[in-house]
Amino acid sequence: MNSNDFYQLKAELSVMDFTKSKPNYADLARKYGVDYRTVKKYHEGYKGKPRNRAKPSRLDPYKELIIEKLSIPRISRKGVYEFLIDQYGDSEIGSYSNFKAYCKKHKLKPSKGDASGGGDTRYETNPADMAQCDWKENMILTSRSGETFCSQYIPSGVEIL
C-alpha cells in the first residue's frame, strides 16, 4: 500500500466514522489490494511502524567518563575502551566496534596531544643519522675493544668487575 492509498483509506474510514456507518473491511481490502485485517488495524488507530526507535545505548551511563578520558593528551580510543573493560567488564561495555560506533555517533574524539604534555615528538631523519636505545640502571656494558660503560656514576677509585 503506497502512501496515497493509505491517505485515501484513512479518509474513507473517517467519513464512515463521521456518518456512524460500520465499514466493510473486506470490501475496502479488495478496493485497496490489502488484507482485511490491515484495513481493520488502520481503522482502529494503527499509525505504522516508527521511523526509528528511541533505545538508549549501554554506553550512555559512561558518556561523561569517556569524554573525560578522551581529553587526556595522546590517549587513543582503544586505550579508553580497554580502561572501561578493566573497570566495568566486557558484559557492561560491549564490543570495541560498538564503542567506536558510539564515539562516532556522539562525535567523541581523542584530544590532540601537544609536546608540553610529555612523551616524544615524532620526527624523521636520514638513515644512520641517529640511534635510539633504552638505558638500564645499574648495568655495566663492555664494548668489543674492552671499554667499560655503566649507567650510573661510579666514584673514582672504585673498580668495576
Side-chain angles (χ1 to χ4, degrees), residues 71-128:
S71 68
I72 298 171
R74 278 178 301 290
I75 195 156
S76 65
R77 236 185 242 133
K78 182 73 171 176
V80 175
Y81 173 74
E82 291 297 331
F83 170 78
L84 292 172
I85 292 293
D86 288 344
Q87 293 292 316
Y88 302 104
D90 199 12
S91 62
E92 287 290 318
I93 303 303
S95 67
Y96 181 60
S97 59
N98 183 43
F99 180 76
K100 283 194 314 185
Y102 181 82
C103 289
K104 186 175 181 179
K105 178 180 178 185
H106 294 283
K107 297 180 176 126
L108 303 176
K109 294 181 181 178
S111 66
K112 300 284 183 194
D114 57 348
S116 64
D120 296 326
T121 303
R122 181 180 174 92
Y123 59 94
E124 299 294 329
T125 62
N126 292 330

Side-chain angles (χ1 to χ4, degrees), residues 15 36 39 65 86 92 95 114 128 136 151:
V15 169
Y36 77 94
V39 176
L65 181 61
D86 288 344
E92 287 290 318
S95 67
D114 57 348
K136 295 285 188 180
S151 63

Side-chain angles (χ1 to χ4, degrees), residues 9 39-40 46-47 62 76-77 79 143 153 155 160:
L9 174 63
V39 176
K40 182 178 180 185
Y46 181 72
K47 302 236 188 299
Y62 308 106
S76 65
R77 236 185 242 133
S143 69
Y153 171 72
I160 300 172

Side-chain angles (χ1 to χ4, degrees), residues 3-63:
S3 61
N4 194 27
D5 288 346
F6 168 73
Y7 290 118
Q8 287 178 351
L9 174 63
K10 289 296 278 178
E12 266 191 74
L13 290 171
S14 296
V15 169
M16 289 181 187
D17 284 344
F18 183 74
T19 59
K20 295 187 173 115
S21 60
K22 185 176 178 189
N24 184 342
Y25 297 131
D27 187 38
L28 290 171
R30 278 190 295 277
K31 181 176 178 181
Y32 291 103
V34 294
D35 191 73
Y36 77 94
R37 290 171 288 217
T38 304
V39 176
K40 182 178 180 185
K41 182 168 62 171
Y42 279 105
H43 182 242
E44 291 173 349
Y46 181 72
K47 302 236 188 299
K49 289 183 181 179
R51 291 265 187 228
N52 55 13
R53 35 182 214 167
K55 182 180 176 187
S57 170
R58 65 170 48 184
L59 293 169
D60 282 342
Y62 308 106
K63 185 175 182 182

